[in-house]
Amino acid sequence: MNQQLTFAPADDGRWEQYDQLATRAYGHPIGDITHLREHADLRVAVRGGRVVAGGLGLLVDQFFGGAPVPSACLGDGCVAPEERGDHLATDMTAERLRPLIERGAVISTISTSSTGYARRLGWEAPADVLAWTVATDDLKRSFTTEDFEVEHGLTDEAEALQRDLARQWNGPICRPAWWTRWKQDKSNLTTYRFARPGHPATGLLGLTTKRHERHGTSLVVHDFWAAGQPTAAAMLAFLGRHNTRARPITFRRGALPPYLTLLHGLRHHRTTADAWHPWMLRILDIPGAIRFRGWPTDLTTAVPIEIENETGDWGRWMLQVRAGAAEVFPTYVQGQVTFTQRQLAVWYAGGYRSTTSARMAGVHVASEKALATLVRSTAQFEPWLPDHF
């Protein structure tokens, strides 16, 4: 490994090399490397003419506070096994982020099992990510469709519904036009719409059906979007009607929104939950991230805060919120609340649901009132990322 290492965008030849490298590093083919070729930015590290590391980057908007925020979503990164142990992944991450930052990204999201490595680079998880499994018989006994009609297929109206519902959470991606086709082709998704007779759709369900190795089928839910509790109950009842063919229903990691319809609706609560590696958020540009985000329209405040920067130093900032907008700028005033880089990301995503949770997470507080104001400013919506990349 004495030859010089260089970083570069991937041309056709390097893209093919990276596809082969990823297959070797992961132990199986990574289909997204091919599927996302027209939409993703691929950066690679080259040594001696060979691609030895790389990864994809997507520049998309994510909803925070009801507003779209430009985000660098990183995925499918890997380093050749023979190159590991020399901090190449850290340098590769910086090279992958750089072009996306130049194009306007102010935050970054990743989903990785290497959470310790990600935390060292400034990412943090704002919420748990779980995959839920429940018996179809339990759903059938516990939920009814009432007067909802179910129709097969995705329509423009249903896609608009999904975007409107996505705004009500912190984290969902504002799906670009190519996103749905990519997911449908990748996972062989079947989509259903739910509506009361004569009314617009209020629910959208996307699932995959696979033949079970022994009997019947296995059903995995990828999309579960409901405008209210009656719609969610109707969607769960529809899934329960699969009980003669599929014994359990699995909600893919993060697919089930963090609301209580399932918890409160089951007669016998026999769900199982599998913890997955969480999605993680990093603030790349503090003023830009604050400016793009949505904020409560009924909140007017100015709070001095201190934030750790990437070199470990601390900067003093004044956060001002007014009429649904906010800005942050340097100040000499001592901060009343102190955030590390990672704590800032959790607060930004609404991950601190109370002052108690913030303090228990290590947020340093000089003023309990100031902390309460900050928690209120981002906790209007809950963190949830049902999208995978």
Side-chain angles (χ1 to χ4, degrees):
M1 295 195 297
N2 294 326
Q3 293 173 302
Q4 184 178 4
L5 186 71
T6 59
F7 298 94
D11 56 18
D12 289 347
R14 287 171 176 169
W15 196 292
E16 296 299 329
Q17 282 193 53
Y18 182 70
D19 195 359
Q20 296 170 10
L21 170 64
T23 299
R24 177 163 63 92
Y26 281 98
H28 57 82
I30 306 297
D32 286 344
I33 294 175
T34 299
H35 295 155
L36 293 175
R37 188 163 184 168
E38 296 181 11
H39 312 293
D41 180 273
L42 174 60
R43 300 283 153 161
V44 295
V46 180
R47 190 192 302 276
R50 294 187 309 110
V51 171
V52 297
L56 300 180
L58 298 171
L59 181 61
V60 295
D61 289 340
Q62 287 183 261
F63 289 114
F64 286 92
V69 181
S71 176
C73 294
L74 303 185
D76 297 328
C78 76
V79 174
E82 63 272 19
E83 293 275 346
R84 292 173 184 166
D86 198 29
H87 305 291
L88 177 53
T90 299
D91 295 336
M92 190 73 253
T93 299
E95 290 296 324
R96 294 167 66 191
L97 283 175
R98 182 176 50 77
L100 301 176
I101 293 173
E102 291 173 353
R103 291 167 54 193
V106 295
I107 62 174
S108 177
T109 296
I110 60 173
S111 179
T112 177
S113 58
S114 303
T115 53
Y117 152 77
R119 287 189 172 98
R120 288 194 296 273
L121 297 183
W123 278 274
E124 188 53 279
D128 290 327
V129 173
L130 301 171
W132 293 92
T133 301
V134 60
T136 48
D137 283 338
D138 286 354
L139 293 178
K140 184 176 178 61
R141 287 194 294 264
S142 300
F143 295 96
T144 60
T145 57
E146 296 183 4
D147 60 347
F148 279 85
E149 295 179 341
V150 185
E151 294 187 349
H152 168 252
L154 187 65
T155 63
D156 292 343
E157 176 195 61
E159 289 190 287
L161 170 68
Q162 187 276 330
R163 285 192 297 271
D164 289 342
L165 295 178
R167 290 180 181 272
Q168 300 175 19
W169 304 89
N170 289 329
I173 288 171
C174 181
R175 299 175 178 178
W178 51 264
W179 187 278
T180 299
R181 174 63 63 183
W182 163 45
K183 287 297 184 180
Q184 286 181 334
D185 292 345
K186 175 182 178 179
S187 302
N188 192 28
L189 295 181
T190 302
T191 303
Y192 297 94
R193 309 185 310 277
F194 294 75
R196 295 188 187 277
H199 290 79
T202 55
L204 184 66
L205 180 70
L207 55 83
T208 298
T209 303
K210 295 182 180 180
R211 183 176 179 179
H212 194 278
E213 61 181 6
R214 291 188 178 181
H215 56 80
T217 59
S218 297
L219 265 62
V220 180
V221 175
H222 286 241
D223 266 318
F224 193 97
W225 299 91
Q229 187 275 334
T231 304
M235 294 165 65
L236 292 170
F238 171 79
L239 292 172
R241 296 208 299 267
H242 291 77
N243 66 319
T244 59
R245 295 287 294 165
R247 290 183 178 178
I249 297 287
T250 297
F251 295 88
R252 192 178 189 270
R253 57 186 184 273
L256 193 64
Y259 49 50
L260 301 175
T261 300
L262 188 63
L263 174 66
H264 292 171
L266 288 177
R267 297 181 182 181
H268 303 288
H269 195 70
R270 295 181 291 194
T271 59
T272 59
D274 291 326
W276 290 82
H277 47 266
W279 63 280
M280 304 181 76
L281 181 68
R282 175 179 168 184
I283 307 300
L284 302 174
D285 173 359
I286 295 175
I290 296 296
R291 184 175 67 255
F292 278 107
R293 195 190 192 283
W295 301 88
T297 57
D298 61 345
L299 178 63
T300 299
T301 189
V303 180
I305 57 179
E306 295 189 21
I307 304 173
E308 178 190 31
N309 60 29
E310 294 186 357
T311 63
D313 297 325
W314 297 87
R316 292 181 175 180
W317 302 82
M318 181 66 70
L319 173 70
Q320 291 187 345
V321 182
R322 183 177 182 180
E327 62 176 341
V328 65
F329 49 85
T331 182
Y332 292 104
V333 180
Q334 184 175 358
Q336 295 179 345
V337 177
T338 301
F339 291 119
T340 65
Q341 185 182 10
R342 290 158 40 202
Q343 290 167 347
L344 180 72
V346 177
W347 165 76
Y348 185 89
Y352 298 133
R353 309 305 299 168
S354 66
T355 57
T356 302
S357 66
R359 285 188 282 100
M360 288 299 294
V363 175
H364 180 74
V365 180
S367 166
E368 193 74 17
K369 181 179 179 181
L371 179 61
T373 299
L374 289 174
V375 168
R376 179 193 169 196
S377 69
T378 61
Q380 180 181 8
F381 300 124
E382 292 186 62
W384 177 44
L385 183 62
D387 305 291
H388 301 276
F389 44 86

